[in-house]
Amino acid sequence: MPTPSGLDRPSAAADTATIAAANLLSAAASSRTPCAPVRDLIGADDVAAAYAVQELLTAERIGAGATVVGRKIGLTSPAVQRQLGVDQPDFGVLFDDMHYDQDTPVPLSRLLQPKVEAEIAFVLARDLVDGPLDDEQVRGAVDYAVAALEIVDSRIAGWDITFGDTVADNASSGLFVLGTQRRTLDTFAPISAHMQMSIDGRGVSTGNGAACLGDPLHALAWLANTTREFGQPLRAGQIVLSGALGPMAAIEGPGTVTADITGLGSVTAAFIQE
């Protein structure tokens, strides 16, 4: 694997550890067999090492033909932070082959141990590269908002993860589905949105915009600043999954997940066993 860029170069020992961690996660994804946590290699809370692993895996995916289409913000909801035992957000990379249309069933064979979250997605009209990247600039860069389901997943057995584990594992990314109702921010206030999510008609999660770092636009501003610091700024046309509006729910077999978000309508994903 190539060495990471956009980060301070680690020591030789750390470099060896990040490569070993990336190889472990890559093998788990390829073999569809969850692996042991990578924190014994890179530490539980070494932010630079964890993102270095993530960048190695991103380079591997791009080298295999995948295209980056955006970013995801994780661990924005206090409920999800409690579920995973962490206390800060993270980010991961969205690739083109992670996107499913609502009318395309999601094969469970693509996933290892999936869970689902309801979120607000933003699609950017302008780059977020220069300037203060404050709330006003970030808001002005948004083309539209849309309801989203993020299907999170973990290559680490039993979701036995710390902050370092999930960051290294592309922020526990899996797949995502976008709704069809697009709203500009002059007609939709993300902080005021309310969410209800169900699986086969059974309610499994509720939440609101304020649960996402106080406002999904605050989460977007955090991401814009953080990715710029890592040398990977957000670009026009990219999709940003801004973070869970409430607790995630496990996908335990075939079924249909629907999330209703006020102002954005609904978004649905049907999971099938092949």
Side-chain angles (χ1 to χ4, degrees), residues 54-94:
Q54 184 186 122
E55 191 170 347
L56 285 173
L57 293 169
T58 296
E60 182 182 54
R61 290 290 313 278
I62 292 171
T67 299
V68 174
V69 297
R71 299 288 191 277
K72 62 153 286 184
I73 312 171
L75 311 178
T76 56
S77 164
V80 174
Q81 289 183 359
R82 287 193 295 271
Q83 282 182 305
L84 296 184
V86 299
D87 61 359
Q88 58 182 306
D90 66 355
F91 73 85
V93 179
L94 301 179

Side-chain angles (χ1 to χ4, degrees), residues 51-271:
Y51 279 112
V53 175
Q54 184 186 122
E55 191 170 347
L56 285 173
L57 293 169
T58 296
E60 182 182 54
R61 290 290 313 278
I62 292 171
T67 299
V68 174
V69 297
R71 299 288 191 277
K72 62 153 286 184
I73 312 171
L75 311 178
T76 56
S77 164
V80 174
Q81 289 183 359
R82 287 193 295 271
Q83 282 182 305
L84 296 184
V86 299
D87 61 359
Q88 58 182 306
D90 66 355
F91 73 85
V93 179
L94 301 179
F95 298 99
D96 54 342
D97 64 353
M98 294 167 62
H99 181 205
Y100 272 76
D101 293 328
Q102 288 195 102
D103 57 358
T104 302
V106 178
L108 288 168
S109 59
R110 280 213 58 183
L111 302 157
L112 295 181
Q113 35 192 356
K115 302 175 186 285
V116 63
E117 302 173 342
E119 308 191 6
I120 295 169
F122 298 110
V123 177
L124 301 180
R126 287 189 283 279
D127 293 348
L128 286 169
V129 177
D130 302 314
L133 301 187
D134 55 15
D135 287 354
E136 180 180 1
Q137 181 184 358
V138 167
R139 179 186 180 89
V142 173
D143 189 3
Y144 60 86
V146 62
L149 290 172
E150 184 187 358
I151 301 124
V152 294
D153 203 2
S154 181
R155 271 51 63 179
I156 294 171
W159 281 89
D160 179 15
I161 60 176
T162 61
F163 184 79
D165 293 303
T166 187
V167 169
D169 189 24
N170 197 24
S172 302
S173 295
L175 308 171
F176 66 96
V177 179
L178 301 180
T180 58
Q181 185 171 328
R182 300 175 177 182
R183 297 285 297 275
T184 60
L185 296 185
D186 58 355
T187 62
F188 170 69
I191 192 174
S192 300
H194 290 270
M195 177 276 294
Q196 293 184 321
M197 186 172 69
S198 63
I199 299 178
D200 292 334
R202 175 178 58 88
V204 294
S205 181
T206 61
N208 54 57
C212 180
L213 284 188
D215 185 334
L217 288 171
H218 292 166
L220 179 58
W222 173 86
L223 179 69
N225 281 278
T226 303
T227 54
R228 183 171 69 176
E229 290 174 3
F230 277 74
Q232 305 163 1
L234 300 178
R235 299 291 184 177
Q238 289 189 332
I239 301 162
V240 174
L241 302 182
S242 63
L245 301 178
M248 55 188 175
I251 301 297
E252 298 175 342
T256 300
V257 179
T258 300
D260 295 293
I261 299 176
T262 55
L264 295 178
S266 64
V267 57
T268 297
F271 294 84

